Every structure is written in structure tokens, then in C-alpha cells.
Amino acid sequence: MSRKQALIRGTAVLTVTSLSTRFMGFFYRMFLSHTFGEENVGLYQLVFPVYALGISLSCAGMELALSRCVAREAAAGRMQKARELLKTSLIFTFFISCMISLFIRQNADTIALTFLRDSRCSSLLFLLSYTFPFASIHSCICGYSLGLKQTKIPAVSQLLEQAFRILSVIFICMYCSGQGQNISIAFAVAGLTFGEIAASFYSLHSIRQSWKQISEKSRSVFLPPAAFRRHLQRLLEHALPLTASRVFLNILQSVEAVSIPVCLQYYGMPAAQSLQTYGVLTGMALPCILFPSAVTNAVSSMLLPTVAGLQEMKDRQQLRSLILKITCSCILLGCFCCGVLLILGKWIGIFLFKSPLAGNFILTLAWICPFLYTNTVLLSMINGLGKTTCSFLFNLFSLCIRITGVFLFIPAAGISGYLNGLLISQIFLFLCCILRLSVYAGKY
């Protein structure tokens, strides 16, 4: 199969998987709302910043770094080193995730009271802590598979994770209801762990099956200390900037969640109305804008190892052509979505959400589509080229603009100030990525 065919096929598989899990998640949220009530679902959502931060610290950056390094080794025909990189990442991320789990378990009460402002989250955090070791295994094996441009394990494990998460919660609720026992939102948090357990066991089994034809030495988990240190240093050179970027993003999202309603009150909006405005923006308008990102996220997952492989092979013409074609395609996709949302935005807000305000937000946010969708793949290409520090700095400056939009623009202009800050941040990120890739392609 040619490189182009592999990229298209992999993107199609991951896109279908992403859309499927999003539809499953949509109905799952409806089930949670009907079964547990809005207040308990709010508690469930409250622990997700801790979950996202734990994943970012333990394995998110390592997954992307592993994908790039494996792609380069595979392109050079060094599969033994690719397998050693996977073993190194599994050992390291499993250790880090266990430390994070232990920290959360020992400090669940403090985190719940100090950061989440609700003592009821303590038991949920305790259950959530068991998720991270399994998530680290799942993440590393997916990164290794994507580095080899193999999408079966990432796609099937993603579907299994979502299916086991949903079905385990439904079955537990049905059993407790039949026994006359109380139903707790803690079941939904336990579902996260069940989902990651299923995904990690499937991933380990699949890797074991794929390695049956190689020597016993290659299958061994043991690595010489010198090789472990050498591979870990290489992985961390790429993983640390990516991890820092993810952590900053999660911190920003937490800051936004707390600060936007408060800053709207500084603008003069009543507290209840400020919460309603924020809910319409994040729960109705933004999901509509982000829905097509299932395509660009799939493209970015396949692009990183593809770009790394072309760089290793020093295929200059192919690399420049790929950057140009993918960038233009994403811009066209963004422009098309922008046009559709400008035409149908008002109708979507009223028909789907019964909210004219959501329609207004969709119209405003439509202009962000060409930049938002393209930035995802541009950053993936930059990471694929090994310029993870650049992507970190670009993300950092873009996040600073968003924070400025929250604390300076909202008190002066209301929610439109934040939306303008969001648009400016995406344009800034787009220009930085385009400039960096242009300079690199010119020199390369």
C-alpha cells in the first residue's frame, strides 16, 4: 500500500471511529441525565479537569512522542528499536501514572475541597485514580501503532473503551435498581475505569499477537538499563514540551470555566444569566463548531508519523507537497463549514437547542472554522518534524491571548469580547504555524 493510500485509509478509519464514539457519547449523556439528575451529572463533570490533567501529565505527551520516534525507526527499517521504544514508554508512563494515582487517592479530600469546591467529589476522585495506569498502557500502544500507520488497535480500542464504559454503567444501574439499592453517580466514574481496563487489555493482547513471529528476546519486557536511559532521553526530548502544552491547555480550560461567568458579572450581567450564557456557549454552540474536528483530528493522528517518516527518509519533495496539500484541504474544509454555519447557524440554534442565543454564538464562531480545523493538522506536522518546543510556544502564546480575552475583553464588551479573543488567538496560532512550516520547507 502506498503512503498516500495508507494516509487516506487510516484517516477514514479513525474518522468513522471518532464519529461513532461521539454518537455513543451523546446518547450516554442523555442516559446519565435521566438516571442521575442534573446535579449529580454536574458532580461527574466536575472531576473531569482532574482526569484530563492526570492523563496529560502521565501519557498524552509520551503518546505523540512515541508515535514520531517509532515512525522514524520504522522508516529506517529499525523495528527492534521501535519495539524497545514502546517498552521504554510503557515502563515509564506506568510508573508515573501509578504515582499520580497514589497522589490523588491520598489527597482526594484536599483536591475536592480546595480545587473542586465540593467535598462530594472526594469519593469520585478516589475511584477515578484507578483509571490512570490502564490509560497509560492504552495510550502508549496506540502511539506505537499510529507510528507504524496501523489503525486497527487505536480504532478498536477506542470503540471498546466507550462501549465498556457505557455498558458497565448501565448494567450496574440495572442490577442495583433490581436489588432496591441506591444508584450513585460514582458508578459513572467507575465506568471510566472499566473502559480503560478493557482498552488496555485488548491493546496488550493485540501487541502480543503481532509480536509472535519475532524472537523471544524482542518480546521480553526487560531492557538493559543503558538502552532504557537512551530511549527515555530521546522520548522525553519530544514528550516534555507536548506535556507542558497539554497541561497549560487543561489549566486554561479550568480557568475559563471558573472565570467566564465571573467576568460576565463584572460586565454587568446577573449571576444566573451569566451562567446561562456560559452554558449556551460551551454546551450548545461550541459542540456544533467542533463536530467536524473528528475529521481533522483523524488526519492529524496519521500525519505525525507520516511526516516523521518522510523526514527520516529525507524525501524533500514529498514532504513539501504533503504540507501544501493537507493545509489547503483543511482550509477548504473550514471555509465550507464556515459557509454552512453562516447560512444555517440561526436555524441550528433554534431547531436543535430552542435557543436563539446559541444561533447567535454559532454565527459568530463560524468565522473561526478555517483556522481552528487547520491549526490541528499544522501543529501535528510541526510535532512530526520534531519541533515540539515550537508547538509548545505557539500554543502558550495563543492561550495567553485567550486568557486576555477572558479577563480584559469580557468585562469591557461582554461575551462577544471573549469570542473575539478566541478568534484572534486562532488566527495568531495559524500564522505562527504557517510561518514556521514555510521557513522549514524552504530550508529543507
Side-chain angles (χ1 to χ4, degrees):
M1 185 184 297
S2 68
R3 186 180 293 110
K4 181 179 179 180
Q5 290 175 326
L7 179 61
I8 294 174
R9 179 180 177 181
T11 299
V13 171
L14 294 178
T15 299
V16 171
T17 303
S18 180
L19 291 174
S20 300
T21 54
R22 290 191 184 201
F23 277 115
M24 294 166 65
F26 173 76
F27 292 106
Y28 180 54
R29 285 192 294 270
M30 292 176 59
F31 167 79
L32 293 178
S33 178
H34 294 157
T35 304
F36 300 104
E38 294 180 354
E39 183 178 1
N40 284 321
V41 172
L43 288 175
Y44 174 68
Q45 293 291 340
L46 202 57
V47 302
F48 265 85
V50 178
Y51 174 71
L53 186 59
I55 293 295
S56 296
L57 288 170
S58 61
C59 56
M62 184 62 75
E63 178 182 354
L64 295 175
L66 179 63
S67 179
R68 180 183 186 275
C69 293
V70 166
R72 297 199 67 172
E73 297 299 341
R78 298 187 291 262
M79 292 304 301
Q80 174 65 24
K81 286 191 176 181
R83 288 187 286 267
E84 290 178 355
L85 285 166
L86 173 60
K87 297 171 189 176
T88 301
S89 66
L90 283 171
I91 295 170
F92 178 76
T93 57
F94 187 79
F95 173 77
I96 294 297
S97 61
C98 286
M99 294 299 99
I100 293 173
S101 295
L102 184 62
F103 175 81
I104 293 176
R105 281 200 292 271
Q106 292 181 340
N107 298 276
D109 293 336
T110 302
I111 296 172
L113 289 172
T114 305
F115 296 101
L116 304 182
R117 306 289 184 178
D118 198 314
S119 61
R120 293 174 293 177
C121 292
S122 177
S123 60
L124 304 185
L125 290 172
F126 189 85
L127 288 172
L128 183 70
S129 66
Y130 291 97
T131 304
F132 299 112
F134 299 103
S136 68
I137 296 172
H138 175 209
S139 177
C140 287
I141 295 177
C142 285
Y144 172 81
S145 300
L146 290 172
L148 298 178
K149 302 183 185 66
Q150 298 172 356
T151 56
K152 179 183 176 182
I153 293 178
V156 175
S157 63
Q158 186 179 351
L159 288 171
L160 277 177
E161 188 273 332
Q162 186 79 318
F164 269 78
R165 176 196 299 188
I166 296 172
L167 293 176
S168 63
V169 176
I170 293 175
F171 288 149
I172 292 173
C173 289
M174 291 174 60
Y175 175 80
C176 290
S177 296
Q179 297 295 318
Q181 299 177 9
N182 292 330
I183 298 176
S184 171
I185 193 61
F187 297 159
V189 179
L192 291 171
T193 303
F194 290 136
E196 288 296 348
I197 290 174
S200 63
F201 272 84
Y202 167 77
S203 300
L204 283 171
H205 173 74
S206 299
I207 284 294
R208 182 182 177 185
Q209 291 296 112
S210 68
W211 286 7
K212 275 189 174 181
Q213 303 301 321
I214 63 177
S215 66
E216 187 67 29
K217 180 180 179 181
S218 297
R219 279 181 283 177
S220 173
V221 176
F222 176 76
L223 274 176
F228 177 82
R229 287 194 299 269
R230 184 173 64 254
H231 291 315
L232 182 60
Q233 181 180 2
R234 180 183 175 188
L235 288 169
L236 289 178
E237 287 177 358
H238 302 293
L240 287 178
L242 293 169
T243 299
S245 179
R246 291 292 185 93
V247 170
F248 268 100
L249 179 60
N250 289 325
I251 292 175
L252 174 67
Q253 291 171 340
S254 300
V255 169
E256 284 180 328
V258 175
S259 302
I260 290 177
V262 175
C263 290
L264 285 172
Q265 293 176 47
Y266 291 153
Y267 175 68
M269 191 176 290
Q273 187 180 356
S274 66
L275 288 173
Q276 179 186 6
T277 301
Y278 177 69
V280 171
L281 173 64
T282 57
M284 300 178 186
L286 279 175
C288 287
I289 300 297
L290 293 174
F291 190 81
S293 65
V295 178
T296 54
N297 288 341
V299 173
S300 65
S301 296
M302 295 301 299
L303 263 182
L304 191 150
T306 301
V307 169
L310 289 173
Q311 185 187 39
E312 177 68 19
M313 296 167 60
K314 296 182 171 31
D315 194 339
R316 305 180 182 185
Q317 185 61 35
Q318 276 278 81
L319 183 58
R320 279 195 288 262
S321 176
L322 179 67
I323 292 173
L324 181 61
K325 289 179 180 178
I326 293 295
T327 302
C328 292
S329 298
C330 290
I331 291 175
L332 288 175
L333 173 64
C335 291
F336 173 77
C337 292
C338 176
V340 171
L341 292 173
L342 287 174
I343 296 172
L344 300 177
K346 279 277 191 182
W347 178 83
I348 292 173
I350 296 173
F351 181 77
L352 293 182
F353 304 113
K354 304 294 190 286
S355 173
L357 183 60
N360 292 333
F361 286 159
I362 292 172
L363 288 178
T364 305
L365 290 169
W367 298 104
I368 207 174
C369 292
F371 308 104
L372 181 66
Y373 303 156
T374 309
N375 287 340
T376 302
V377 296
L378 293 178
L379 287 171
S380 180
M381 287 190 282
I382 291 174
N383 289 331
L385 293 170
K387 310 300 179 182
T388 52
T389 302
C390 284
S391 68
F392 164 67
L393 291 175
F394 295 162
N395 269 320
L396 176 61
F397 292 138
S398 176
L399 298 180
C400 288
I401 294 174
R402 288 175 60 177
I403 293 176
T404 301
V406 172
F407 289 102
L408 293 184
F409 298 165
I410 290 181
I415 195 65
S416 61
Y418 170 70
L419 298 180
N420 290 330
L422 188 61
L423 176 60
I424 293 171
S425 71
Q426 291 297 319
I427 294 175
F428 171 82
L429 184 59
F430 173 80
L431 293 176
C432 288
C433 292
I434 287 292
L435 180 61
R436 185 66 187 90
L437 287 171
S438 299
V439 171
Y440 183 85
K443 289 182 178 180
Y444 189 63

